[in-house]
Amino acid sequence: MNIQETLKNSFQIWNKLNENEKSELISASKVINFKKNEMLQSRDASCLGLIILKKGIIRAYLASDAGKEITLYKLLENDICLFSAGCIMKDINFDINLICEEDVELILIPTEKYNQILEKSTVISNYASDILSSRFSDTIWILEQFVFHSLDKRVANYLIEHIDDDNNLRITHEKIANELGSAREVISRMLKYFENESLIKLERNNIKVINLKKLNKVAES
Amino acid sequence: MNIQETLKNSFQIWNKLNENEKSELISASKVINFKKNEMLQSRDASCLGLIILKKGIIRAYLASDAGKEITLYKLLENDICLFSAGCIMKDINFDINLICEEDVELILIPTEKYNQILEKSTVISNYASDILSSRFSDTIWILEQFVFHSLDKRVANYLIEHIDDDNNLRITHEKIANELGSAREVISRMLKYFENESLIKLERNNIKVINLKKLNKVAES
């Protein structure tokens, strides 16, 4: 794997970095592999550092003591994870779990080195803020949907009521939005969320429920 | 009002700034006053800039179309608000409402100037990240309590069941925590949240319910 190539693809601000910043990032990078279902980070784990995903999928989620989970987002190829360096972030006092949903190859910039780089580079520091605010935005969205609209329940109920015997539903997101008094973008995002949770599979003009039991749980929650 | 004094009190990293950074912040600062119940920012408002609170209280909250609200946090004296400069943050696509709960005197660093400062100063940029991660942490806490534990409902029910005829309850937070199978810190934080929402008032060894109607709504929600 070419580390520089991956960093360049992941850091959208790569071309704004000077040669010194680039070479510091490159020399701090280590390649690590994880197996499917391995936890990168959980409550008791230490603070790895900045992670850049080269291959595979990592799911970031909150878990309650009772075993309930909320997926915050998924990291795909070239995505950067800040929370694996959460220990250097101020006042972060929650635990985000990171689990590999497939075999994962990643670049790790260990916490201490990442911190040193942050203290010297405005471009990287501002870029980290951008990523953080984007994740914040995703989290606010989840909060609004769950607390205000119970939209997760309403969409789940809608799907359960309308699927055929093979668990398929041929419908546009627009149509669901109209029937639930919501907007297409909002419904599409919730369906994408369900897909991330492996409840459904989004196909062309079709929604396939692949875990009806879990979808029922959402509907009743 | 001495602007420099306020900036020094608000920016915990003030002493790490060089003279140039300090004078840029000072010269960019404008003093503005708002009346109680004025909205600093709502869905349709423009993007003011970085706000430093000199006097008063600002409440930051999410609002649903149906009129429900979730308070995210309150800004007190010397607190810094980033979301009033949300338009320069990447991928922030939610609307945080900011309302003055008292007459407010604040320092505003307009968006454009703030952005210019961010692009030059690593210390300020990293400090902004720290504030952001702290707000993120508060938001995750709210998400966890509401979605996982329904702790808001459980504490509300507990209070309603146990108050005397004058709406007082003499009890330690520890005791409530034990009875609800939670931790003292968690209960204290939820009670503080209720106080912020003007549902209760926390007094020495006493909890006073000041808006029973609204507390009932929380209990039943």
Side-chain angles (χ1 to χ4, degrees):
Chain A
M1 181 175 71
N2 184 331
I3 287 183
Q4 176 161 359
E5 197 58 33
T6 302
L7 292 178
K8 195 177 168 183
N9 289 335
S10 298
F11 284 81
Q12 287 163 27
I13 41 82
W14 188 257
N15 290 331
K16 287 194 199 163
L17 298 176
N18 61 39
E19 289 312 311
N20 193 28
E21 290 166 328
K22 287 181 190 171
S23 68
E24 278 208 58
L25 282 175
I26 293 169
S27 71
S29 294
K30 295 197 287 187
V31 179
I32 306 191
N33 288 281
F34 287 88
K35 288 275 170 217
K36 184 175 171 175
N37 292 329
E38 261 190 278
M39 297 289 294
L40 258 74
Q41 176 165 297
S42 66
R43 296 187 179 211
D44 311 317
S46 61
C47 181
L48 282 172
L50 193 76
I51 282 173
I52 300 120
L53 200 55
K54 172 68 183 161
K55 228 169 66 185
I57 300 174
I58 293 173
R59 184 167 70 97
Y61 65 98
L62 302 171
S64 75
D65 293 334
K68 275 206 267 184
E69 292 182 4
I70 307 173
T71 299
L72 293 178
Y73 45 83
K74 296 219 180 174
L75 300 167
L76 309 174
E77 207 172 293
N78 293 327
D79 279 344
I80 294 177
C81 183
L82 293 175
F83 290 106
S84 43
C87 50
I88 63 160
M89 291 156 80
K90 208 195 154 207
D91 292 335
I92 286 281
N93 45 25
F94 55 91
D95 303 292
I96 288 193
N97 302 283
L98 299 171
I99 190 168
C100 299
E101 298 223 313
E102 297 177 358
D103 287 356
V104 155
E105 186 169 80
L106 56 80
I107 291 176
L108 174 71
I109 300 178
T111 304
E112 200 185 337
K113 290 222 173 136
Y114 171 56
N115 207 11
Q116 287 165 7
I117 291 170
L118 272 186
E119 280 175 9
K120 278 185 289 187
S121 167
T122 333
V123 181
I124 295 174
S125 167
N126 279 318
Y127 188 56
S129 270
D130 284 349
I131 296 172
L132 186 59
S133 68
S134 168
R135 306 279 185 249
F136 196 174
S137 192
D138 288 346
T139 304
I140 291 277
W141 185 84
I142 290 173
L143 180 65
E144 289 187 322
Q145 298 314 318
F146 279 68
V147 178
F148 283 156
H149 308 304
S150 307
L151 193 71
D152 53 332
K153 283 184 228 175
R154 289 162 58 212
V155 174
N157 274 308
Y158 186 90
L159 296 178
I160 292 164
E161 282 165 24
H162 291 81
I163 44 172
D164 63 19
D165 293 342
D166 297 322
N167 290 347
N168 286 307
L169 173 57
R170 297 196 172 276
I171 195 167
T172 63
H173 301 183
E174 179 95 46
K175 182 93 190 301
I176 300 178
N178 288 340
E179 299 215 11
L180 295 180
S182 181
R184 189 191 54 74
E185 298 74 18
V186 174
I187 297 298
S188 293
R189 198 164 167 181
M190 184 57 81
L191 289 170
K192 187 75 203 153
Y193 181 82
F194 283 174
E195 189 175 42
N196 280 342
E197 295 281 81
S198 304
L199 301 173
I200 64 173
K201 198 165 164 7
L202 297 174
E203 296 162 349
R204 197 175 158 73
N205 296 322
N206 190 52
I207 298 167
K208 185 169 193 62
V209 173
I210 56 175
N211 191 333
L212 186 57
K213 201 174 150 190
K214 228 172 132 188
L215 192 65
N216 270 317
K217 274 202 181 156
V218 172
E220 290 158 11
S221 65
Chain B
M1 181 174 72
N2 184 332
I3 286 183
Q4 177 163 356
E5 198 57 33
T6 303
L7 292 177
K8 194 177 168 182
N9 289 335
S10 298
F11 284 82
Q12 287 163 26
I13 41 82
W14 189 258
N15 290 331
K16 287 194 199 165
L17 298 177
N18 62 40
E19 289 312 310
N20 193 29
E21 290 165 328
K22 287 180 189 171
S23 68
E24 279 209 59
L25 281 175
I26 293 168
S27 72
S29 294
K30 296 197 288 187
V31 178
I32 306 190
N33 288 279
F34 288 88
K35 289 272 170 219
K36 185 176 171 174
N37 292 330
E38 261 191 279
M39 298 289 296
L40 259 75
Q41 176 166 296
S42 65
R43 295 186 182 211
D44 310 317
S46 61
C47 181
L48 283 171
L50 193 76
I51 282 173
I52 299 118
L53 200 55
K54 171 68 182 160
K55 228 169 66 186
I57 301 174
I58 294 174
R59 184 167 69 98
Y61 65 97
L62 302 172
S64 76
D65 293 334
K68 276 205 268 183
E69 292 183 3
I70 307 173
T71 299
L72 292 178
Y73 45 83
K74 295 219 179 174
L75 299 167
L76 309 175
E77 209 171 292
N78 293 327
D79 279 345
I80 295 177
C81 182
L82 292 174
F83 290 106
S84 44
C87 50
I88 63 161
M89 291 156 80
K90 207 192 155 211
D91 292 334
I92 286 280
N93 45 26
F94 56 93
D95 303 292
I96 288 195
N97 301 283
L98 298 171
I99 191 168
C100 299
E101 298 225 312
E102 297 176 359
D103 287 357
V104 155
E105 185 169 81
L106 56 79
I107 291 176
L108 174 71
I109 300 178
T111 305
E112 201 186 335
K113 291 224 173 129
Y114 171 56
N115 207 10
Q116 286 165 8
I117 292 170
L118 272 186
E119 279 175 10
K120 279 186 288 188
S121 167
T122 332
V123 180
I124 297 174
S125 167
N126 280 318
Y127 188 56
S129 268
D130 283 349
I131 296 171
L132 187 59
S133 67
S134 167
R135 306 279 185 248
F136 195 175
S137 191
D138 288 345
T139 304
I140 291 276
W141 184 83
I142 291 172
L143 180 64
E144 289 186 323
Q145 299 312 319
F146 279 69
V147 178
F148 282 156
H149 307 304
S150 306
L151 193 71
D152 53 333
K153 283 184 228 176
R154 288 162 57 211
V155 174
N157 273 309
Y158 186 90
L159 296 178
I160 293 163
E161 283 166 23
H162 291 81
I163 45 174
D164 63 20
D165 292 343
D166 296 323
N167 289 347
N168 286 306
L169 174 57
R170 299 197 169 275
I171 195 167
T172 63
H173 301 182
E174 179 95 46
K175 181 92 190 302
I176 301 178
N178 288 340
E179 299 213 11
L180 294 180
S182 182
R184 189 190 54 74
E185 298 74 19
V186 174
I187 297 298
S188 292
R189 198 164 167 180
M190 185 56 82
L191 290 170
K192 186 75 204 150
Y193 181 82
F194 282 175
E195 188 175 43
N196 280 342
E197 295 282 81
S198 304
L199 301 174
I200 63 173
K201 198 166 163 8
L202 297 176
E203 297 163 346
R204 196 172 158 75
N205 296 323
N206 189 53
I207 299 167
K208 184 168 194 63
V209 174
I210 55 176
N211 192 333
L212 185 56
K213 201 174 149 192
K214 229 172 132 190
L215 192 66
N216 271 317
K217 271 201 186 158
V218 173
E220 290 158 9
S221 64

Coordinates of all heavy atoms in Angstrom, one line a residue, chain A residues 117-158:
Chain A
I117 N 1.5 17.3 15.5 CA 1.2 17.8 14.2 C 0.1 18.9 14.3 O 0.2 20.0 13.7 CB 0.8 16.7 13.2 CG1 2.0 15.8 12.9 CG2 0.2 17.3 11.9 CD1 1.6 14.5 12.2
L118 N -0.9 18.6 15.1 CA -2.0 19.6 15.3 C -1.5 20.9 15.9 O -2.0 22.0 15.5 CB -3.0 19.0 16.3 CG -4.2 18.1 15.8 CD1 -5.1 17.8 17.0 CD2 -4.9 18.8 14.7
E119 N -0.5 20.8 16.7 CA -0.1 22.0 17.4 C 0.8 22.9 16.5 O 1.0 24.1 16.8 CB 0.8 21.7 18.6 CG -0.2 21.3 19.8 CD 0.6 20.9 21.0 OE1 1.8 20.9 21.0 OE2 -0.1 20.4 22.0
K120 N 1.2 22.3 15.3 CA 2.0 23.1 14.4 C 1.3 23.6 13.2 O 1.7 24.6 12.6 CB 3.2 22.3 14.0 CG 4.3 22.4 15.1 CD 5.6 21.6 14.6 CE 5.4 20.1 14.6 NZ 6.6 19.4 14.3
S121 N 0.3 22.8 12.8 CA -0.3 23.1 11.4 C -1.8 23.6 11.5 O -2.7 22.9 12.0 CB -0.3 21.8 10.6 OG -1.1 22.0 9.5
T122 N -1.9 24.9 11.1 CA -3.3 25.4 11.1 C -4.2 24.7 10.1 O -5.4 24.5 10.4 CB -3.2 26.9 10.7 OG1 -2.0 27.5 11.0 CG2 -4.3 27.7 11.3
V123 N -3.6 24.4 9.0 CA -4.5 23.7 8.0 C -5.0 22.4 8.5 O -6.2 22.1 8.4 CB -3.7 23.5 6.7 CG1 -4.5 22.8 5.6 CG2 -3.1 24.8 6.1
I124 N -4.1 21.6 9.1 CA -4.6 20.3 9.6 C -5.6 20.5 10.8 O -6.6 19.8 10.9 CB -3.4 19.4 10.0 CG1 -2.6 19.1 8.8 CG2 -3.9 18.1 10.7 CD1 -1.3 18.3 9.0
S125 N -5.2 21.5 11.6 CA -6.1 21.7 12.8 C -7.5 22.2 12.4 O -8.5 21.7 12.9 CB -5.5 22.8 13.7 OG -6.4 23.3 14.6
N126 N -7.6 23.1 11.4 CA -8.9 23.5 10.9 C -9.6 22.3 10.2 O -10.8 22.2 10.2 CB -8.7 24.7 9.9 CG -8.6 26.0 10.7 OD1 -9.3 26.2 11.7 ND2 -7.6 26.8 10.3
Y127 N -8.8 21.5 9.5 CA -9.4 20.4 8.8 C -10.1 19.4 9.8 O -11.2 18.9 9.6 CB -8.4 19.7 7.9 CG -9.0 18.6 7.1 CD1 -10.0 18.9 6.2 CD2 -8.5 17.3 7.1 CE1 -10.6 17.9 5.4 CE2 -9.0 16.3 6.3 CZ -10.1 16.6 5.4 OH -10.6 15.6 4.6
A128 N -9.4 19.2 10.9 CA -9.9 18.3 12.0 C -11.2 18.9 12.6 O -12.1 18.2 12.8 CB -8.8 18.2 13.1
S129 N -11.2 20.2 12.7 CA -12.5 20.9 13.1 C -13.6 20.6 12.1 O -14.7 20.4 12.5 CB -12.3 22.4 13.2 OG -11.9 22.8 14.5
D130 N -13.3 20.7 10.9 CA -14.3 20.5 9.8 C -14.9 19.1 10.0 O -16.1 18.9 9.9 CB -13.7 20.6 8.4 CG -13.5 22.1 8.1 OD1 -14.0 22.9 8.8 OD2 -12.8 22.3 7.0
I131 N -14.0 18.1 10.2 CA -14.5 16.7 10.3 C -15.3 16.6 11.5 O -16.4 16.0 11.5 CB -13.3 15.7 10.4 CG1 -12.5 15.8 9.1 CG2 -13.8 14.3 10.6 CD1 -11.2 15.0 9.1
L132 N -14.9 17.2 12.6 CA -15.6 17.1 13.9 C -17.0 17.7 13.7 O -18.0 17.2 14.2 CB -14.8 17.8 14.9 CG -15.4 17.8 16.4 CD1 -15.5 16.3 16.8 CD2 -14.4 18.5 17.3
S133 N -17.1 18.9 13.0 CA -18.4 19.5 12.9 C -19.3 18.7 12.0 O -20.5 18.7 12.2 CB -18.2 21.0 12.4 OG -17.8 21.1 11.1
S134 N -18.7 18.0 11.0 CA -19.5 17.2 10.2 C -20.1 16.0 11.0 O -21.3 15.6 10.8 CB -18.7 16.7 9.0 OG -19.3 15.7 8.3
R135 N -19.3 15.4 11.8 CA -19.8 14.3 12.7 C -20.8 14.8 13.7 O -21.8 14.1 14.0 CB -18.7 13.6 13.5 CG -17.5 13.2 12.7 CD -17.7 11.8 12.0 NE -16.5 11.4 11.3 CZ -16.4 11.2 10.0 NH1 -17.4 11.5 9.2 NH2 -15.3 10.8 9.5
F136 N -20.6 16.0 14.2 CA -21.5 16.6 15.1 C -22.9 16.8 14.4 O -23.9 16.5 15.0 CB -21.0 18.0 15.5 CG -21.6 18.6 16.7 CD1 -21.1 19.8 17.2 CD2 -22.7 18.1 17.3 CE1 -21.7 20.4 18.3 CE2 -23.3 18.6 18.4 CZ -22.8 19.8 18.9
S137 N -22.8 17.3 13.2 CA -24.0 17.5 12.4 C -24.8 16.2 12.2 O -26.0 16.1 12.4 CB -23.6 18.0 11.0 OG -24.8 18.5 10.4
D138 N -24.1 15.1 11.9 CA -24.8 13.8 11.8 C -25.5 13.4 13.1 O -26.6 12.8 13.1 CB -23.7 12.7 11.5 CG -23.2 12.8 10.0 OD1 -23.9 13.5 9.3 OD2 -22.2 12.2 9.7
T139 N -24.8 13.7 14.2 CA -25.3 13.3 15.5 C -26.5 14.1 15.9 O -27.5 13.6 16.4 CB -24.2 13.5 16.6 OG1 -23.1 12.7 16.2 CG2 -24.7 13.0 18.0
I140 N -26.5 15.4 15.6 CA -27.7 16.2 15.8 C -28.9 15.7 15.0 O -30.0 15.7 15.5 CB -27.4 17.7 15.4 CG1 -26.4 18.3 16.4 CG2 -28.7 18.5 15.4 CD1 -27.0 18.9 17.7
W141 N -28.6 15.3 13.8 CA -29.6 14.8 12.9 C -30.3 13.6 13.6 O -31.5 13.4 13.7 CB -29.1 14.4 11.6 CG -30.2 13.9 10.6 CD1 -30.9 14.7 9.8 CD2 -30.6 12.6 10.4 NE1 -31.8 14.0 9.1 CE2 -31.6 12.7 9.4 CE3 -30.2 11.3 10.9 CZ2 -32.3 11.5 9.0 CZ3 -30.9 10.2 10.4 CH2 -31.9 10.3 9.5
I142 N -29.5 12.7 14.1 CA -30.0 11.5 14.8 C -30.8 11.9 16.0 O -31.9 11.4 16.2 CB -28.8 10.5 15.2 CG1 -28.2 9.9 13.9 CG2 -29.3 9.4 16.1 CD1 -27.0 9.1 14.1
L143 N -30.3 12.8 16.8 CA -31.0 13.3 18.0 C -32.4 13.8 17.6 O -33.4 13.5 18.2 CB -30.1 14.3 18.7 CG -30.7 15.0 19.9 CD1 -30.9 13.9 21.0 CD2 -29.8 16.1 20.4
E144 N -32.4 14.7 16.6 CA -33.7 15.3 16.1 C -34.7 14.2 15.7 O -35.8 14.3 16.1 CB -33.4 16.3 15.0 CG -32.7 17.5 15.5 CD -32.6 18.6 14.4 OE1 -32.4 18.2 13.2 OE2 -32.8 19.8 14.7
Q145 N -34.2 13.3 14.9 CA -35.1 12.3 14.3 C -35.7 11.4 15.5 O -36.9 11.1 15.5 CB -34.4 11.4 13.3 CG -33.9 12.1 12.1 CD -34.9 13.1 11.5 OE1 -36.1 12.8 11.4 NE2 -34.5 14.3 11.1
F146 N -34.8 11.0 16.4 CA -35.2 10.1 17.4 C -36.1 10.8 18.4 O -37.2 10.3 18.8 CB -34.0 9.5 18.1 CG -33.4 8.3 17.4 CD1 -32.8 8.5 16.2 CD2 -33.5 7.0 17.9 CE1 -32.2 7.4 15.5 CE2 -32.9 6.0 17.3 CZ -32.3 6.2 16.1
V147 N -35.7 12.0 18.9 CA -36.4 12.6 19.9 C -37.6 13.4 19.5 O -38.7 13.3 20.0 CB -35.5 13.6 20.7 CG1 -36.2 14.3 21.9 CG2 -34.3 12.7 21.3
F148 N -37.5 14.1 18.4 CA -38.6 14.9 17.9 C -39.7 14.1 17.2 O -40.8 14.3 17.4 CB -38.1 16.0 17.0 CG -37.5 17.2 17.7 CD1 -36.6 18.0 17.0 CD2 -37.8 17.5 19.0 CE1 -36.0 19.1 17.6 CE2 -37.2 18.6 19.6 CZ -36.3 19.4 18.9
H149 N -39.2 13.4 16.2 CA -40.1 12.9 15.2 C -40.5 11.4 15.4 O -41.4 10.9 14.8 CB -39.6 13.1 13.8 CG -39.1 14.5 13.6 ND1 -40.0 15.5 13.8 CD2 -38.0 15.0 13.2 CE1 -39.3 16.7 13.5 NE2 -38.1 16.4 13.2
S150 N -39.7 10.7 16.2 CA -39.9 9.2 16.3 C -39.9 8.7 14.9 O -40.6 7.8 14.6 CB -41.2 8.8 17.0 OG -41.2 9.4 18.3
L151 N -39.2 9.4 14.0 CA -39.2 9.0 12.6 C -38.8 7.6 12.3 O -39.2 6.9 11.4 CB -38.4 10.0 11.7 CG -38.7 9.9 10.2 CD1 -40.1 10.4 9.9 CD2 -37.7 10.7 9.4
D152 N -37.8 7.1 13.2 CA -37.3 5.8 13.0 C -38.5 4.8 13.1 O -38.7 3.9 12.3 CB -36.2 5.5 14.0 CG -36.6 5.8 15.4 OD1 -37.4 6.7 15.6 OD2 -36.0 5.1 16.3
K153 N -39.3 5.0 14.2 CA -40.5 4.1 14.4 C -41.5 4.2 13.3 O -42.0 3.2 12.8 CB -41.2 4.5 15.7 CG -40.5 4.1 17.0 CD -41.4 4.5 18.2 CE -40.5 5.2 19.2 NZ -41.3 5.7 20.3
R154 N -41.7 5.5 12.9 CA -42.8 5.7 11.9 C -42.4 5.0 10.5 O -43.2 4.4 9.9 CB -43.1 7.1 11.7 CG -43.8 7.7 12.9 CD -43.8 9.2 13.0 NE -44.3 9.8 11.9 CZ -43.9 11.0 11.3 NH1 -42.9 11.6 11.9 NH2 -44.5 11.5 10.3
V155 N -41.1 5.2 10.1 CA -40.7 4.6 8.9 C -40.7 3.1 9.0 O -41.1 2.3 8.1 CB -39.3 5.1 8.4 CG1 -38.8 4.3 7.2 CG2 -39.3 6.6 8.1
A156 N -40.2 2.6 10.1 CA -40.2 1.1 10.4 C -41.6 0.5 10.3 O -41.9 -0.5 9.6 CB -39.6 0.8 11.7
N157 N -42.6 1.2 10.9 CA -44.0 0.8 10.8 C -44.5 0.8 9.4 O -45.2 -0.2 9.0 CB -44.9 1.6 11.7 CG -44.9 1.1 13.2 OD1 -45.2 0.0 13.4 ND2 -44.6 2.0 14.1
Y158 N -44.2 1.8 8.7 CA -44.6 2.0 7.3 C -44.1 0.8 6.5 O -44.9 0.1 5.7 CB -44.2 3.3 6.7 CG -44.7 3.5 5.4 CD1 -45.9 4.2 5.2 CD2 -44.1 3.0 4.2 CE1 -46.5 4.4 3.9 CE2 -44.6 3.2 3.0 CZ -45.8 3.9 2.8 OH -46.4 4.1 1.6

